[in-house]
Amino acid sequence: MIPGTFVIRQATWRAELAAAISAPEELLETLELPANLLPEARRAHALFPVRVPWPYLQRMTPGDPFDPLLRQVLPLGIEEAIVPGFGTDPVGDLAAHVATGVLHKYEGRVLLTATGACAIHCRYCFRRHFPYAEANAARNHWRDALAHVAQDQSLSEVILSGGDPLTLGDEKLAEFVHALKELRHIKRLRFHTRVPVVVPSRVTPELLALLQSSPVPVAMVLHINHAQEIDEAVQEACARLAAARVLLLNQAVLLAGVNDDSESLVALSERLFASGILPYYLHMLDRVQGAAHFAVDEGRAVRLVEVLRTRLPGYLVPRLVREEIAAPAKVPLTVKVGGIGRCG
Ligand SMILES: *Cc1c(COP(=O)(O)O)cnc(C)c1O
Ligand code: SF4
């Protein structure tokens, strides 16, 4: 390989991360949106800053304030509303925090908040209030996280989450992947990430080589809410990941005004399959302050998924789940037939 090519590829994704739009004025101007949205956008930006990388922004339709990708990142005045039942730690993360950046809620798997950084800021995110900076598992060469995983033989899977773990550099990730060789009880490595979707240039040959060097099989759970989020660059990144034997799954959040209709959800599943990704979870919105306007009623959510069941093969129907504090797993939502719960 020519020595220079590595540097250039590194520069591409890092530059794309760094160049993300981070000011509400720039977002509105670039997308040719009405300037009267600006005062409220500025106020919401003060609550949770705007962040939109260009490769993602380019998939939006200029001039359309209801574009389903824009809705996910556009700061709105309605985020200031204090709505009963919508809090700052809706999923009990603070209680599950057992070591620096280590969330242990479910048997056998542990989730590391590897970094506080995200490539994109999603307005509905339940981590918009999470103390990212303090809960950073990659600090000190992952020392606390690795020590926790090493001493708990009940674990079989480690999930790198965040923030977004793929905002970390390859060297940082390599420290963790290589440390797994010493942790013989760990059988699976999983990433929860939106980076291959919003900055697909992150999927470099160096990252692929690193994933292939993992001593255990790797799963990657992407986060895609709408079919339009998948363009050719995303499809190519997914094809490279699949060729590196990474299992690709998707988790989406059911969001009012983004994907809360059966046409959007069918199109999403079909586009995921065409990209080598299987739907995994469809999450009910976590009840986080500032995101109440995205909420979809549970009855309607269940009916939407029933429509998906009639229109798609079972393997393209995501599991509709809700996160509950202190529950031993994500809680599935199912149809009630004559008052009796039906499983699946
Ligand atoms: C969602 C989550 C997991 C993973 O759950 P799966 O059902 O295995 O996908 C693990 N730990 C935490 C803290 C989680 O929030
Ligand atoms: S953690 Fe995921 S959903 Fe939340 S802001 Fe980051 S990329 Fe978006």
Side-chain angles (χ1 to χ4, degrees), residues 48 118 120-122 124-125 127 132 163-164 194 223:
F48 184 50
C118 280
I120 184 169
H121 285 177
C122 313
Y124 47 82
C125 183
R127 293 211 168 104
Y132 280 140
D164 198 310
R194 198 149 158 66
H223 172 186

Side-chain angles (χ1 to χ4, degrees), residues 91 93 96 103-106 109-111 126-127 157 159 190 192 221 251 280-281 283 323 329-330:
V91 296
D93 272 355
L103 296 178
H104 195 170
K105 269 201 213 175
Y106 304 150
R109 54 247 200 253
V110 77
L111 184 146
F126 73 95
R127 293 211 168 104
E157 177 167 2
I159 303 169
R190 188 191 326 179
H192 282 181
V221 183
Q251 50 186 343
Y280 180 41
Y281 283 141
H283 292 273
E323 181 120 9
K330 313 278 185 237

Side-chain angles (χ1 to χ4, degrees), residues 265-295:
L265 292 172
V266 167
L268 173 60
S269 275
E270 287 182 337
R271 190 105 182 110
L272 289 171
F273 182 74
S275 314
I277 311 162
L278 286 178
Y280 180 41
Y281 283 141
L282 178 61
H283 292 273
M284 294 299 291
L285 179 78
D286 293 317
R287 306 210 141 234
V288 59
Q289 210 175 84
H293 56 293
F294 285 113

Side-chain angles (χ1 to χ4, degrees), residues 11-344:
T12 305
W13 72 265
R14 285 204 183 274
E16 282 184 348
L17 278 187
I21 284 186
S22 56
E25 337 14 49
E26 198 185 358
L27 180 64
L28 296 181
E29 274 166 32
T30 311
L31 288 168
E32 300 160 27
L33 294 168
N36 65 7
L37 292 173
L38 189 55
E40 59 172 297
R42 282 201 175 122
R43 294 197 312 272
H45 169 75
L47 297 174
F48 184 50
V50 166
R51 189 165 175 80
V52 193
W54 284 88
Y56 189 78
L57 185 117
Q58 283 160 352
R59 300 169 206 154
M60 300 177 190
T61 308
D64 179 6
F66 299 103
D67 181 283
L69 278 58
L70 175 69
R71 297 314 284 180
Q72 298 180 49
V73 296
L74 179 68
L76 296 173
I78 199 166
E79 294 174 27
E80 296 171 297
I82 302 295
V83 179
F86 286 75
T88 54
D89 182 27
V91 296
D93 272 355
L94 293 176
H97 196 213
V98 293
T100 311
V102 182
L103 296 178
H104 195 170
K105 269 201 213 175
Y106 304 150
E107 189 177 327
R109 54 247 200 253
V110 77
L111 184 146
L112 307 188
T113 54
T115 166
C118 280
I120 184 169
H121 285 177
C122 313
R123 307 311 297 178
Y124 47 82
C125 183
F126 73 95
R127 293 211 168 104
R128 57 185 282 162
H129 304 284
F130 197 71
Y132 280 140
E134 300 97 85
N136 179 339
R139 255 196 333 209
N140 296 328
H141 305 281
W142 307 86
R143 200 186 53 207
D144 290 5
L146 286 169
H148 180 83
V149 174
Q151 57 80 37
D152 189 344
Q153 294 287 320
S154 76
L155 294 173
S156 54
E157 177 167 2
V158 181
I159 303 169
L160 297 186
S161 182
D164 198 310
L166 290 187
T167 60
L168 294 173
D170 294 341
E171 312 72 38
K172 205 55 152 190
L173 293 172
E175 286 174 5
F176 189 83
V177 172
H178 295 149
L180 289 178
K181 289 192 188 103
E182 312 299 321
L183 303 170
R184 304 296 290 276
H185 54 299
I186 298 303
K187 306 292 184 223
R188 296 179 299 280
L189 171 61
R190 188 191 326 179
F191 290 81
H192 282 181
T193 176
R194 198 149 158 66
V195 168
V197 183
V198 301
V199 181
S201 64
R202 176 68 184 91
V203 184
T204 58
E206 293 74 22
L207 177 67
L208 295 167
L210 170 61
L211 296 173
Q212 278 188 296
S213 76
S214 166
V216 294
V218 179
M220 196 172 273
V221 183
L222 300 170
H223 172 186
I224 305 171
N225 300 313
H226 194 279
Q228 284 168 28
E229 289 177 55
I230 304 177
D231 68 359
E232 225 168 90
V234 175
Q235 284 194 311
E236 282 164 15
C238 290
R240 296 198 292 279
L241 287 164
R245 302 187 59 78
V246 173
L247 175 72
L248 295 174
L249 301 169
N250 184 59
Q251 50 186 343
V253 184
L254 186 59
L255 297 166
V258 174
N259 60 9
D260 63 331
D261 60 280
S262 55
E263 290 309 317
S264 296
L265 292 172
V266 167
L268 173 60
S269 275
E270 287 182 337
R271 190 105 182 110
L272 289 171
F273 182 74
S275 314
I277 311 162
L278 286 178
Y280 180 41
Y281 283 141
L282 178 61
H283 292 273
M284 294 299 291
L285 179 78
D286 293 317
R287 306 210 141 234
V288 59
Q289 210 175 84
H293 56 293
F294 285 113
V296 176
D297 165 81
E298 283 196 359
R300 212 163 75 74
V302 169
R303 285 194 296 278
L304 276 170
V305 174
E306 278 307 293
V307 175
L308 296 193
R309 260 189 245 288
T310 64
R311 293 188 48 189
L312 291 166
Y315 61 88
L316 292 186
V317 180
R319 302 156 178 82
L320 178 66
V321 292
R322 184 180 55 214
E323 181 120 9
E324 264 177 29
I325 295 176
K330 313 278 185 237
V331 178
L333 272 71
T334 51
V335 196
K336 302 264 193 301
V337 183
I340 298 162
R342 183 161 66 90
C343 300

